[in-house]
Every structure is written in C-alpha cells, then in structure tokens.
Amino acid sequence: MFGTGQFQLYNPVRVIYGKGELKRSAEIFGVSNVLVICDPYVSSNEYFKEVMTGFNSVFIYNKIIPNPPCELIDEIIESVYEHSKGAPKFEGVIGIGGGSTLDTAKAVSSLLVSEGKLADYVEGKKKFEKRLPLMLIPTTSGTGSEVTNVGVYTLNDIKKPMTSPTFWADIALVDPVLTYSMPKRVAATTGLDALTHAIESYWATSTQPYTEGLALRSAKMIFESYEASLNGEEWAKDEMAIAATIAGIAFSQTRTTAAHAISFPITSFYNVEHGLACALTLPTLIHWTYKFISEKMDDFVRYVGFKDVEELAKRIEHMMEYSGFSLKLHDYGVKEDELEKIAKVSVEANIINLTPGNPKYEDVLEILKTIY
Amino acid sequence: MFGTGQFQLYNPVRVIYGKGELKRSAEIFGVSNVLVICDPYVSSNEYFKEVMTGFNSVFIYNKIIPNPPCELIDEIIESVYEHSKGAPKFEGVIGIGGGSTLDTAKAVSSLLVSEGKLADYVEGKKKFEKRLPLMLIPTTSGTGSEVTNVGVYTLNDIKKPMTSPTFWADIALVDPVLTYSMPKRVAATTGLDALTHAIESYWATSTQPYTEGLALRSAKMIFESYEASLNGEEWAKDEMAIAATIAGIAFSQTRTTAAHAISFPITSFYNVEHGLACALTLPTLIHWTYKFISEKMDDFVRYVGFKDVEELAKRIEHMMEYSGFSLKLHDYGVKEDELEKIAKVSVEANIINLTPGNPKYEDVLEILKTIY
C-alpha cells in the first residue's frame, strides 16, 4: 500500500534502444557539428567510427579519465574555445563511454553556454540554466548516467555528486553492441552496479510504485542474464544493457541507499571498483532491511523467481564468486581496525537515510564486521 | 528475453502526486493567468475552488461533454478570443476532469497558438508545433490521458484518436482527493479501463521491459484496491489514482490491443461505458492469448499473486460482477446476429495487430460468441 505518500516523477530523456543504432547517431541527434567526449579506449575501438558517420564536423576530445576532476572539465572548455578560435560552433555534445565520460559530457554541454568554472556549480554558487543539445551513449551496462540528472566530479580530491535540470540528456542512445567488447571484469562490476541500483531503488524509503515496477523488471533481467553476459553471450549483453538503463531511470527518481553510501569509502580508501564495492554489502543489507519491508521483499523475490530473501542474498553472493570476487573485505586490503573509519564515512552520506530501518553508525559497523 | 528488440521511451510529463496538492495548483503551474477547461459537474464540485487559489485571473470554460466534437473545441477558441477582445492573454491552460476534458485541454492549448480548425489536425493536414503551458488534473482514475500524447475527438460522428508532441502536458497533477466524489459506477468503469491499460500494455507485442514493469506494478495495485475503492475507502482510491496514472505511462509507450479495439464498436453501437466495454472481452482474451505468451503471463500472475491465468480471468469477472455488471453481451442490448458487425469493425482498428497471436475476424467473432 502506498497511497498516503507523495511523489514526483520526471524523466524527460528520450531513450532509443537497438542493436546497431549507433550508425544512426547523426540522424537521431539531428545536428551537424558536434563535440564528442570519450576516453582513449573508446576512440580506438572499432565501433567508434560509426559515431562519426553522417555528421558534417566532429571535434573529438578523448582524454577523459575516471572520476574526472573539475579542472579537467574546465580545460576541455578552454581547449574547445582555442580550437574554435573564439565562440565554438558546435550545435551539440555527444558523450560516449562509461559514467565518468557521460558525466563529463553533461557538464561540458552546460559550461559551453554558461559563465565561470565547473567548481562554481559543483559548490552550488551558480546554477546551470541552459546547455547545448546533448546525446549520451553508454558503453557499459551499469551506471545509468545516460538517464539521470546527476554528475559526479572530483573537487579537491573528493568525489562530489551534483544534480542539474540541464543534466537530463535529450537522447540516451543505448546500442548494446558497444558493450560487447567490455572486459569481463568491467562487465561484472558495472553489472553489479546496475543490480544494486535496482534493489536499492526498490526498497528506498523514497520509492514509489513507478520506480518499484522498473526496479522489479530490471532486477529480473539481470538475474536472468548476468552470468551469460560474462560468458560473452550477446543476448545476455543486450538484456544487461536494457536492464541497466531501466535501473537508471528507477534510481533517477529515488536515489540510492546504504549499499552505495558504504561503497564510497571502500572505493576511495581501497580502490575497489564502484559496482563491486556496492555489491559487497548488498546480501547482508538484504537480511538487515528485511524485518522493515518483509511483505514488499516477498513480492520482489516471488516475481524474480526465488523462494525467499535468503535465496536472493545467496544468488548475489554466487554472482560475485562467479565473477571471481571475494565476498570478504579483508581480501581487498581492509584492516579490521579500519572498519570504524569506513562506518564513520558511510553514515556521512545523506542517502543512507533512505535505507529501510535507517541504519546508524553501529548498524553499519555490525554489517561491515559480518563481511569482514 | 527481450534483447533483440528495439524500442523508444519518451514521456516528458512531470507527474506530481499527493493528497491535497490541488490547493498548490498555482504554485506548481507557475503562471498567473489561466484558462480552465472542465465540465459542469466538476465546476460545481466542492474541490473546484481550490484550483482557483493563487491565480491572478481564471477564465472558466465548463461546457465540456463526453467524446468532444471538433466543432466544440473550435467554439472554445472563438469564445476565448471574444472574451479577450483580441489575442488571449492566458499564460497557460488547465484541464480538470475525465479523459474528454483533458483531451480538450490538450487541443485548446495547442490551437490557441496555431492556425486553422481542429479538424485540420485530426485529419493530419496540419501538425501542431507549439502550445501554451499545460497542466492536466484528472478527476477519475482510469483514462491516463494526463500522461499520454493522445487526444480523442469526434469528427463527423466518429471518434478519432490523434497524437501530437504538443499533447504531452507540462504537468500531470494527480490529487486523489478529487476522485473521492466519483459516482460508484464511474469509479468502476474507469477502474476497469485502467486495469485493461495495464494488462494490454504488458502483453502488447509493442511492449518493452520498461512498460512491463509499470504494468505489473499498476495491475497489482488495482487488484489490491479495486473493490475497496468502490466501497469508499480512501486508501484504496489513493491507490487507484496512482495505478491509473502508471498504467497510462505504460500504454503511452505501447498503445493498447484487442480489448480496446473490440470496445470501440461496443461503445459506439450500444453506448456501453468505455472501461466496461474493454473489460467485457478481457477474461476471454487472457485465455486466448495465453498460448502465445505463457511464460510471460506466468510471471505476471506470480507477481500479482494468483495461481494461474485461470484465476486471473476469474478475478476480473468477479470485479465486474461485484460492480453490478453483467459479463454477457446480450445483457447490453447486443443481438446475436450483430456479432459479425462488431467483429468487422473491431478488426479495422490498427491496435488489434498489437495483440499476441494477432487475432483475425474469425477469432474475434469466436471471442464475442464466448461472451454472448
């Protein structure tokens, strides 16, 4: 039962999904002169030339690095102005890559028509009011950045998320063929990120029936196709691409919860990939939250096809082991006396308050000890 | 498994759901001078004065009738110009009511800033390119018109649906309190319409995982709250309001299928309410389509909480009987020798081709005989 709640729904991104749609980029985007943001791996990839087909002029910036610093994005703007000898003539911006690249494209498309440095906006001193037309093309099946209004940028060595109405792209072009060449480890960690988005969006206290429906459907697809996608089966990679985008739409409305909050220090301190860091606490959180949302989780497991949440948690552990990941923190270089520090940083993330049962410092510490 | 398909997703409507949100209409809409479209029943209702609060000026047109003719909408435009002594100064249009009213508001908001008559657009001779800001406020829980880009207008005595990019509203304000005063029969027929939207969107051959998730969640809410909503329980009316809007988002992407196609002649020839006309064939169609989509329907019934599709079909029949509706066509004035004519008109509706198994004239005739 939900009725007494209150919610807003808004996601104006046009999602276009299809195998081989990449070659229709120019037709779909409908502009002629574009700036393309990517990383060196993407621009050297076989599929990359298909992005170019059909545009009159393309300026490629391919030096994106993970967790992009604000200064890098300011440099892109300068470099673009230099290249254009004055006002840039681009009619639109394309981001093609993983989450860091798509987030960079969001910021660049806004900064190109705004005053100041990105840090002004990340710190909330200024607000973006417009941007150039923006098309985002994911090459991984995980972050969902192509369908959210969130960007994450590094400011003074700390990852800072920000939202902006200008960060909703005009078009998210999801062509699963681009994910076929993902290294297995990237497929695994980004796939676990997508699963965490689905489950956290489903149980978040900010949830609503719309996001619950998307989360249910997305989670089922991930459970059906995760292992096969790691084994290189194309149908499974296609499913993962859809599932990740739908999970992205779900958490674009709800945000995420404790698994993401706890993942931040694990990634920052021990360099554990984001999706893997999220998945580490997920099975334990499934048990921990169950007493607060048992009926709702029973609906979830029944639809997805499990007997109970015990089987759900075991299935996620199996997915991680199948991918070659340890379930235990000590295997990632975590020392037992560092668990308190991880717990402390975890509860500083506001999203932890969206977790059913609202875990406090002591709860997080207990959860961390369980998986130590 | 879906991966090999291809789809687009696009629904830019901002949905705001909450009990009592109606009194924030002006704040939510963000404009001062508005044209309000409604019917006499709505404008005489207690809640109606809350729409006015906060606006500087409100011009009310309250003569909307069901299945609005194109000429009526042209008359509204004339009447508005007359009232304004030249170019109307409205900054926005509000539609508050059932599907006919919301569809009228869509057309009016576009026609006020376009040339020509509505018939030009319904017949496809012209295309709307802009409209005034538009907020839609449903007072029934059924049509989903507040979140679709479809409008249905009567042209030369025939109901004609049309779509337009200008028909996506800026805001769908869903305040369930407005549905509390619905007559029981209206609550029943519109609720059955919402259920049909959910089930048809789920099984349509144009479906996609996004709409499947929304359809699943919406259908479960309807099964949980339909009878209680007829009995006046507010929590159930709240649920029905959410479920109808979510089912609307689902079918805004997929369109509907045979139950809607067959409903058109039943409504036109025998004046059976739209939602009831849809529900009449739904149980039979559930059996008929099952052989083509058995795995998918098994997922559906498992999530919704039924043993099998047999139980699903029986449940819908129970909902209809509980509402006082006969399950048999002959009780609605249909003569046995008229079934062929109904079948003939049904298969003329393009949407019937979106039904799993693609029923032909003979199949529809057989279905009609089953429920005669």
Side-chain angles (χ1 to χ4, degrees):
Chain A
M1 227 188 292
F2 180 84
T4 50
Q6 202 164 27
F7 63 80
Q8 284 203 26
L9 282 186
Y10 182 63
N11 192 319
V13 180
R14 187 184 297 271
V15 178
I16 298 179
Y17 170 88
K19 280 170 94 150
E21 288 293 87
L22 187 66
K23 66 172 92 61
R24 294 207 306 120
S25 294
E27 179 193 340
I28 289 168
F29 201 15
V31 300
S32 296
N33 306 302
V34 292
L35 168 64
V36 175
I37 308 277
C38 61
D39 64 31
Y41 172 79
V42 164
S43 65
S44 69
N45 209 302
E46 183 59 25
Y47 57 66
F48 188 70
K49 58 180 180 288
E50 290 194 356
V51 185
M52 311 305 161
T53 316
F55 291 107
N56 282 350
S57 81
V58 178
F59 179 70
I60 299 165
Y61 185 97
N62 71 347
K63 295 174 197 138
I64 302 305
I65 53 171
N67 309 316
C70 287
E71 295 76 15
L72 172 73
I73 290 157
D74 295 332
E75 273 170 42
I76 298 175
I77 305 296
E78 274 172 40
S79 139
V80 158
Y81 268 82
E82 205 168 288
H83 161 83
S84 315
K85 301 191 175 65
K89 302 294 185 302
F90 304 120
E91 296 161 310
V93 175
I94 295 176
I96 171 167
S100 297
T101 298
L102 304 190
D103 288 356
T104 300
K106 290 174 180 179
V108 166
S109 66
S110 298
L111 262 183
L112 275 173
V113 289
S114 308
E115 300 288 322
K117 304 283 185 189
L118 181 57
D120 301 334
Y121 297 88
V122 172
E123 289 175 333
K125 291 180 196 159
K126 294 186 175 194
K127 288 194 185 305
F128 288 125
E129 284 173 3
K130 55 186 175 170
R131 62 158 167 73
L132 290 181
L134 176 65
M135 178 160 77
L136 300 178
I137 308 175
T139 58
T140 65
S141 299
T143 71
S145 174
E146 68 277 10
V147 287
T148 77
N149 64 342
V150 184
V152 185
Y153 311 101
T154 299
L155 180 64
N156 305 327
D157 297 326
I158 297 171
K159 281 175 78 169
K160 293 266 188 190
M162 69 169 278
T163 61
S164 168
T166 64
F167 284 5
W168 297 113
D170 294 300
I171 294 163
L173 178 58
V174 183
D175 182 343
V177 176
L178 279 67
T179 70
Y180 290 177
S181 55
M182 255 193 297
K184 187 171 166 179
R185 189 175 177 101
V186 176
T189 59
T190 54
L192 292 171
D193 190 22
L195 178 62
T196 311
H197 290 154
I199 293 178
E200 293 204 284
S201 180
Y202 182 79
W203 75 29
T205 56
S206 51
T207 199
Q208 41 175 283
Y210 170 91
T211 51
E212 288 166 358
L214 299 182
L216 280 163
R217 193 67 194 87
S218 168
K220 187 165 197 292
M221 294 177 83
I222 295 171
F223 287 122
E224 285 167 355
S225 55
Y226 179 84
E227 287 89 345
S229 82
L230 299 191
N231 294 338
E233 293 192 44
E234 290 187 2
W235 69 264
K237 288 170 183 271
D238 297 348
E239 297 271 302
M240 287 298 295
I242 301 173
T245 296
I246 294 178
I249 297 174
F251 92 86
S252 80
Q253 308 298 309
T254 56
R255 307 178 71 197
T256 52
T257 71
H260 269 72
I262 302 173
S263 84
F264 297 148
I266 295 176
T267 293
S268 300
F269 302 158
Y270 309 99
N271 208 22
V272 177
E273 291 100 322
H274 173 70
L276 172 54
C278 288
L280 278 167
T281 55
L282 199 54
T284 312
L285 280 167
I286 285 169
H287 291 299
W288 194 88
T289 56
Y290 184 68
K291 58 185 170 296
F292 306 103
I293 47 168
S294 52
E295 193 185 332
K296 185 170 168 142
M297 288 307 292
D298 290 344
D299 287 347
F300 183 92
V301 297
R302 192 174 66 244
Y303 171 65
V304 173
F306 298 136
K307 198 167 85 265
D308 51 26
V309 287
E310 180 70 30
E311 194 178 331
L312 169 66
K314 281 209 182 309
R315 176 60 199 282
I316 295 169
E317 290 175 352
H318 173 266
M319 287 162 71
M320 294 174 70
E321 287 172 335
Y322 188 89
S323 317
F325 301 140
S326 166
L327 306 176
K328 296 297 183 185
L329 285 175
H330 64 76
D331 286 325
Y332 297 94
V334 181
K335 305 249 171 347
E336 193 158 11
D337 60 5
E338 293 165 341
L339 297 181
E340 294 184 5
K341 188 177 158 199
I342 298 175
K344 193 168 162 294
V345 176
S346 300
V347 296
E348 282 167 10
N350 284 333
I351 51 171
I352 202 161
N353 301 316
L354 300 175
T355 316
N358 204 359
K360 301 299 176 197
Y361 168 82
E362 292 72 22
D363 304 306
V364 173
L365 188 59
E366 201 55 46
I367 288 164
L368 290 170
K369 283 180 181 168
T370 311
I371 58 163
Y372 179 69
Chain B
M1 223 189 293
F2 180 85
T4 51
Q6 202 165 26
F7 63 81
Q8 284 203 28
L9 281 186
Y10 181 63
N11 193 318
V13 180
R14 187 184 297 271
V15 178
I16 297 179
Y17 169 87
K19 279 171 94 149
E21 289 292 86
L22 187 66
K23 66 172 92 62
R24 295 207 306 120
S25 295
E27 178 194 341
I28 289 168
F29 201 16
V31 300
S32 296
N33 307 303
V34 292
L35 168 64
V36 175
I37 308 277
C38 60
D39 64 31
Y41 172 78
V42 164
S43 65
S44 69
N45 210 300
E46 183 59 23
Y47 57 66
F48 188 70
K49 57 179 180 287
E50 291 193 354
V51 185
M52 311 305 161
T53 316
F55 291 107
N56 282 351
S57 82
V58 178
F59 180 69
I60 299 164
Y61 186 96
N62 70 348
K63 295 175 198 137
I64 302 306
I65 54 171
N67 309 316
C70 289
E71 295 76 16
L72 173 73
I73 289 156
D74 295 333
E75 272 170 42
I76 298 176
I77 304 296
E78 274 171 42
S79 138
V80 158
Y81 268 83
E82 206 167 288
H83 160 83
S84 315
K85 301 190 176 64
K89 301 295 186 301
F90 304 121
E91 297 160 310
V93 175
I94 295 176
I96 170 167
S100 296
T101 299
L102 304 190
D103 287 358
T104 301
K106 290 174 181 181
V108 167
S109 66
S110 298
L111 262 183
L112 275 173
V113 289
S114 308
E115 300 288 322
K117 303 283 185 190
L118 182 57
D120 301 335
Y121 298 88
V122 171
E123 288 174 332
K125 291 179 195 159
K126 294 186 174 194
K127 287 194 185 305
F128 289 125
E129 283 174 3
K130 55 186 175 171
R131 62 157 165 73
L132 290 182
L134 176 64
M135 177 158 79
L136 300 178
I137 308 177
T139 59
T140 65
S141 297
T143 70
S145 174
E146 68 278 9
V147 288
T148 76
N149 64 341
V150 184
V152 184
Y153 311 101
T154 299
L155 181 62
N156 305 327
D157 297 326
I158 297 170
K159 280 176 78 169
K160 291 268 188 189
M162 68 169 279
T163 62
S164 168
T166 65
F167 284 4
W168 297 113
D170 295 300
I171 293 165
L173 178 59
V174 183
D175 182 341
V177 175
L178 278 67
T179 70
Y180 291 178
S181 54
M182 255 193 297
K184 187 171 167 179
R185 189 174 176 100
V186 177
T189 58
T190 55
L192 292 170
D193 190 22
L195 179 63
T196 312
H197 291 154
I199 292 177
E200 293 204 283
S201 180
Y202 181 80
W203 76 26
T205 55
S206 51
T207 198
Q208 41 176 283
Y210 169 92
T211 50
E212 288 166 359
L214 299 183
L216 280 163
R217 192 66 194 86
S218 168
K220 187 166 196 291
M221 294 177 82
I222 295 171
F223 287 122
E224 285 166 355
S225 55
Y226 179 84
E227 287 88 346
S229 81
L230 298 191
N231 294 337
E233 294 192 43
E234 290 187 2
W235 70 264
K237 288 170 184 270
D238 297 348
E239 298 271 302
M240 287 298 295
I242 301 173
T245 296
I246 294 178
I249 298 174
F251 92 85
S252 78
Q253 308 298 308
T254 56
R255 307 178 70 195
T256 52
T257 71
H260 268 71
I262 302 172
S263 84
F264 298 148
I266 295 176
T267 292
S268 300
F269 302 156
Y270 309 98
N271 207 21
V272 177
E273 292 100 321
H274 173 69
L276 172 54
C278 288
L280 278 167
T281 55
L282 199 54
T284 312
L285 280 167
I286 285 169
H287 291 299
W288 195 87
T289 58
Y290 185 69
K291 57 187 170 296
F292 306 104
I293 47 169
S294 53
E295 193 185 331
K296 185 171 168 139
M297 287 308 291
D298 290 344
D299 287 347
F300 183 91
V301 297
R302 192 174 65 243
Y303 171 65
V304 174
F306 298 137
K307 199 167 85 261
D308 51 25
V309 287
E310 180 70 30
E311 194 179 330
L312 168 66
K314 282 210 180 309
R315 176 60 200 280
I316 295 169
E317 290 175 352
H318 173 266
M319 286 162 70
M320 293 174 69
E321 287 172 335
Y322 187 90
S323 316
F325 301 139
S326 165
L327 306 176
K328 295 296 182 187
L329 285 176
H330 64 76
D331 286 325
Y332 297 94
V334 181
K335 305 247 171 351
E336 194 159 10
D337 61 5
E338 294 166 340
L339 297 181
E340 293 184 5
K341 186 176 161 203
I342 298 175
K344 192 169 164 293
V345 176
S346 300
V347 296
E348 282 168 9
N350 284 333
I351 52 171
I352 202 162
N353 300 317
L354 301 174
T355 315
N358 205 0
K360 302 297 176 199
Y361 168 82
E362 292 74 21
D363 304 306
V364 173
L365 188 60
E366 201 57 46
I367 287 164
L368 290 169
K369 283 179 179 166
T370 312
I371 58 164
Y372 179 70

